[in-house]
Amino acid sequence: MTRYDLCDALPPGWRSVLAEEIRQPYFAALADHLNRERAEHHIYPAREQVFAAFAACPPGDVKVVLLGQDPYHGPGQAHGLSFSVPPEIPQPPSLRNIFKEIERDLGITPLPSGDLSRWSRQGVFLLNSFLTVREGEAGSHHRLGWDRFTDAVIAYLGQERQGLVFLLWGNFAKAKARLIHPHHHLILTSGHPSPLSVRFFRGNGHFSAANVYLRERGRRPIDWR
């Protein structure tokens, strides 16, 4: 099996701003562990999609950070963007609830496809804290070191940039607020859109609030359809 080099796979813009982080020993160990995992298990997403969110949204283009936890662990679902699925895959429950809130909040009907790359192209960074997972085993890669890497990504955006919107849904995502300068960004928190906690997500108004914040700073709002 061909060895997969995570440093080479990370898009150049991100590789530049995270150069110190990816030189840390844990990052090489993470790459080695992933190579062993792929030799023994079905791992999602595919190798070429692990950094899809980074490829779709270079550092200077980020306007909104939408933080997820794990990639989807069912066949064909994960393609490297948090909460998103390829066009031919049925929308998971959390995504359906997100679309319902968009319709309630903005009075628009989202497109039927669950592929959110249309958001990425506008500057929505669809980041998962853990970028890979074994098939059928949620949380299976929580100890590989991905969270250390993605915490560094959040900290870079939260400390070095200004005027971004962070959408932190659920307790796991809310805990990442510690990495973000509270006076330099808009941090929006609520319950997670999963069916178990959607009552704490519904009505949060985050999509309209994000657009108001962007407009006030002279930036183009997101078309959330």
Side-chain angles (χ1 to χ4, degrees):
M1 183 182 68
T2 303
R3 181 180 172 79
Y4 182 63
D5 190 315
L6 285 180
C7 291
D8 288 345
L10 188 65
W14 288 102
R15 199 184 313 151
S16 176
V17 300
L18 298 169
E20 184 175 342
E21 191 67 26
I22 62 178
R23 284 197 295 266
Q24 299 301 312
Y26 85 89
F27 198 73
L30 168 59
D32 288 342
H33 200 141
L34 271 179
N35 279 306
R36 292 194 297 271
E37 283 277 294
R38 288 196 185 274
E40 300 172 5
H41 304 278
H42 291 295
I43 304 300
Y44 300 130
R47 289 175 184 271
E48 64 274 12
Q49 295 176 322
V50 169
F51 291 120
F54 296 78
C57 201
D61 292 351
V62 176
K63 295 191 287 190
V64 178
V65 180
L66 177 47
L67 185 64
Q69 187 168 347
D70 279 316
Y72 296 120
H73 54 81
Q77 290 183 305
H79 66 150
L81 308 177
S82 64
F83 294 101
S84 179
V85 291
E88 69 277 6
I89 299 296
Q91 297 171 13
S94 291
L95 183 54
R96 291 200 301 271
N97 287 329
I98 290 170
F99 283 177
K100 288 177 183 176
E101 176 58 20
I102 289 171
E103 189 163 10
R104 186 212 64 80
D105 184 22
L106 298 174
I108 60 175
T109 301
L111 298 174
S113 172
D115 182 355
L116 303 183
S117 59
R118 59 188 184 269
W119 295 357
S120 294
R121 290 190 291 270
Q122 301 176 70
V124 182
F125 187 36
L126 297 167
L127 177 67
N128 278 316
S129 283
F130 307 97
L131 299 186
T132 56
V133 68
R134 286 183 190 174
E135 180 180 29
E137 297 184 42
S140 52
H141 283 182
H142 281 197
R143 297 187 179 183
L144 296 194
W146 275 130
D147 55 334
R148 179 172 171 180
F149 171 71
T150 55
D151 278 3
V153 173
I154 297 166
Y156 163 74
L157 294 170
Q159 301 294 328
E160 302 299 324
R161 296 284 308 281
Q162 293 194 26
L164 306 183
V165 181
F166 288 83
L167 303 180
L168 307 180
W169 300 335
N171 291 334
F172 179 87
K174 289 177 189 177
K176 304 299 182 179
R178 73 187 189 281
L179 303 169
I180 305 163
H181 196 300
H183 303 304
H184 292 171
H185 306 281
L186 177 63
I187 303 172
L188 299 174
T189 64
S190 75
H192 194 276
S194 72
L196 293 176
S197 58
V198 68
R199 65 188 183 280
F200 303 113
F201 172 82
R202 191 181 296 118
N204 65 23
H206 284 182
F207 303 98
S208 60
N211 279 351
V212 167
Y213 183 83
L214 292 172
R215 285 192 188 97
E216 288 174 347
R217 279 147 189 80
R219 307 193 77 183
R220 180 174 295 180
I222 305 300
D223 181 353
W224 292 107
R225 285 176 290 185

